[in-house]
Amino acid sequence: MTERPKTPLLDTVINPADMKELSDQELKCLADELRAETVSAVSETGGHLGAGLGVVELTVALHAVFNAPKDRIIWDVSHQTYPHKILTGRRDRIRTLRQKDGLSGFTKRSESAYDPFGAAHSSTSISAALGFVVARDLGGAPEHGIGDVIAVIGDGAMSAGMAFEAMNNAGHLKKRMFVILNDNEMSIAPPVGALSAYLSQLYAGAPFQEFKAAAKGAMSLLPEPFREGAKRARDVVKHMTVGGTIFEQLGFSYVGPIDGHDLDQLLPVLRTVAERSTGPMLIHVITKKGKGYAPAEEARDKGHGVGKFDVVTGTQAKAISNAPSYTSVFAKSLLKQASQDHKICAVTAAMPDGTGLGLFADRYPSRCFDVGIAEQHGVTFAAGLAAGGMKPFCAIYSTFLQRGYDQVVHDVAIQRLPVRFAIDRAGLVGADGATHAGAFDISFLTNLPGFVVMAAADEAELCRMVATAAAYDDGPIAFRFPRGEGIGCEMPMHAEPLEIGKGVIVQDGSRVAILSFGTRLGEARIAAETLAAQGITPTIADARFSKPLDRDMILKLATNHEVLITIEEGAVGGFGSHVAQLLAEEAVFDRGLKFRSMVLPDTFIDHANPVDMYREAKLSAQDIHEKVLDALGVSTIKARA
């Protein structure tokens, strides 16, 4: 293990109050030690590295100037908060990040008073901050008291409509609050759109002209790497606003941009605005993601998400696998389909690499669209593409598709437009925890009239589902697949489309039928092997479709077996609920069928590795085994004829 860094100043900081007696020079040294400690900790746990390194000085400055936890610091997305956690009493647990029973990789209200608002999706911070401000002014929490409220939001997150909705409301209410715009020209992938070009224009609001020199915010004083960024959009500015910045048009006083890695700039600006501000204030800070750690600075994604790594070289420890990831299988399958059909195009919301569409963008740049952190727009944009005669594949993580649900209903489903939804990260996802779990898409899509909903049991089926979606033009269609690697099955040379609404029997048996929707099929097969040792040979079926259901297969299974068990990696209200509805309508229960539905529990499961999470969810092979025995009334392990 790499030797941990020497941190004599940081060792004296148990909570932010300990920083109040430090000189500005000591705060600079503290920042250096904090950066080293962050790198060291993440090298042992893995996680989000670049974002936290980019805000080390900003984190130090915020805690040195403001008085958390009474002053509420709200971090947008909050994957950049490892330095914040180290300074707020959690350093002794920082090497448990993202591990079972350890610290969350995001802010979490139940974890610390210094995390006033939980987050892991983007663009929520300004809305939440305004809520705190109004609660403060209405006396909502007199026993605790709320002081100043500061939202820290990145330039990528600022591209989402919700951020501007919040700023518009805050500008109207004219209440004192602070928004720190952390402009690093990069969210996860490089941001897109006119806004990202606009952000670095230079302007300081009139109320703060007198301390521009203290802020040293003039372009000529910026370090060379930032000067070009500060020139990015003078032409855009001329056309977008007259007489001020877009933020001032929304009612915010504006100061910046300032160098977010220079405490000689950050500290005077924050002290001045804290002393003088009377209304909403936006401070524009330019930073560099991965700052101070060369391997992160040089990485394509600036060290956004990393595994365990060697601190000296930056080399990550990679597990060796013989199976491709589901994401890569989707990406390559879509490329193959696109090579045969020029109408196929792809849409992603700021996740070209995460969804595998970086490959598509390289091959077919005119047919691939990264809409930024704007899932609502992305879904409706895809609907427009479909209405215009194209075949859009809208690739969005399950947890992020939730953000575009109204558009899925209103703009896609009601109009029966053939948008193809590629739903990555379906089911439990491990270290990112509950905020990123793909738990609800089966329920919220299967309930929509006219939707086709599929789930791949393995990577070979995923290939066929991509082909199925490409060939389907009668309405919206979705296919879901998990994070991580496949099972290493043989891949088809030519992926034939599936027959819509038809499942398949994968093992014949008697007494018990196990009907799986998704990748729990592998666990069902393992359970069947252990059951066989007890003389129980279940029938196993792969549903493939949650909508439309394979009525014939399900009714046959229900008629020919004593017990029918459904399994899915989703919440109640999904596949199993629709099977139960079918069985009730057909009066199958009247004939004595024992039906059990295995779904994710009615709780949010904290971060851990996926195997442990599925054990907690009681969806492992052992749980399937026990469910079968319980349904049959077998209480002891014994062979049965």
Side-chain angles (χ1 to χ4, degrees), residues 344-374:
I344 289 177
C345 54
V347 177
T348 183
M351 297 294 290
D353 292 332
T355 58
L357 290 186
L359 294 173
F360 195 99
D362 291 341
R363 183 82 59 85
Y364 302 110
S366 66
R367 289 194 267 159
C368 191
F369 306 94
D370 181 353
V371 301
I373 303 178

Side-chain angles (χ1 to χ4, degrees), residues 275-448:
E275 178 182 347
R276 301 189 186 183
S277 179
T278 59
M281 162 63 60
L282 186 136
I283 302 103
H284 184 177
V285 174
I286 295 180
T287 64
K288 185 175 183 179
K289 197 170 184 180
K291 174 71 174 178
Y293 183 58
E297 290 187 20
E298 294 164 6
R300 183 174 184 270
D301 66 350
K302 304 302 182 195
H304 171 70
V306 300
K308 297 178 182 181
F309 61 91
D310 180 87
V311 172
V312 176
T313 65
T315 304
Q316 297 185 47
K318 296 286 188 181
I320 298 174
S321 173
N322 295 321
S325 72
Y326 281 98
T327 300
S328 67
V329 170
F330 158 67
K332 292 174 182 177
S333 299
L334 185 59
L335 278 176
K336 186 174 291 188
Q337 295 296 325
S339 70
Q340 302 164 11
D341 189 340
H342 73 277
K343 289 187 177 181
I344 289 177
C345 54
V347 177
T348 183
M351 297 294 290
D353 292 332
T355 58
L357 290 186
L359 294 173
F360 195 99
D362 291 341
R363 183 82 59 85
Y364 302 110
S366 66
R367 289 194 267 159
C368 191
F369 306 94
D370 181 353
V371 301
I373 303 178
E375 290 84 2
Q376 292 173 293
H377 162 63
V379 171
T380 302
F381 172 56
L385 285 168
M390 296 298 290
K391 294 184 175 183
F393 278 75
C394 195
I396 300 178
Y397 291 3
S398 172
T399 185
F400 298 148
L401 185 59
Q402 296 163 186
R403 302 175 64 126
Y405 187 57
D406 180 64
Q407 287 67 33
V408 172
V409 176
H410 182 270
D411 299 333
V412 177
I414 289 177
Q415 302 188 93
R416 293 188 65 88
L417 288 170
V419 176
R420 289 90 173 156
F421 290 94
I423 305 174
D424 202 336
R425 271 57 168 186
L428 302 178
V429 296
D432 284 335
T435 56
H436 283 60
F440 308 112
D441 60 271
I442 304 173
S443 302
F444 69 62
L445 292 180
T446 305
N447 286 330
L448 298 178

Side-chain angles (χ1 to χ4, degrees), residues 431-502:
D432 284 335
T435 56
H436 283 60
F440 308 112
D441 60 271
I442 304 173
S443 302
F444 69 62
L445 292 180
T446 305
N447 286 330
L448 298 178
F451 240 96
V452 173
V453 182
M454 303 178 283
D458 56 44
E459 59 268 42
E461 281 208 342
L462 178 56
C463 289
R464 297 192 68 186
M465 288 180 181
V466 174
T468 305
Y472 187 76
D473 286 314
D474 293 337
I477 187 168
F479 53 96
R480 72 191 313 257
F481 50 96
R483 181 179 188 173
E485 298 158 351
I487 64 173
C489 64
E490 184 178 352
M491 302 295 284
M493 292 294 294
H494 177 68
E496 293 289 341
L498 301 171
E499 183 179 353
I500 298 296
K502 290 297 178 183

Side-chain angles (χ1 to χ4, degrees), residues 10-30:
L10 183 59
D11 293 345
T12 69
V13 176
I14 306 303
N15 58 59
D18 297 325
M19 299 168 58
K20 299 301 181 182
E21 302 303 318
L22 298 181
S23 68
D24 287 3
Q25 185 59 44
E26 287 174 319
L27 290 174
K28 294 178 187 178
C29 295
L30 178 67

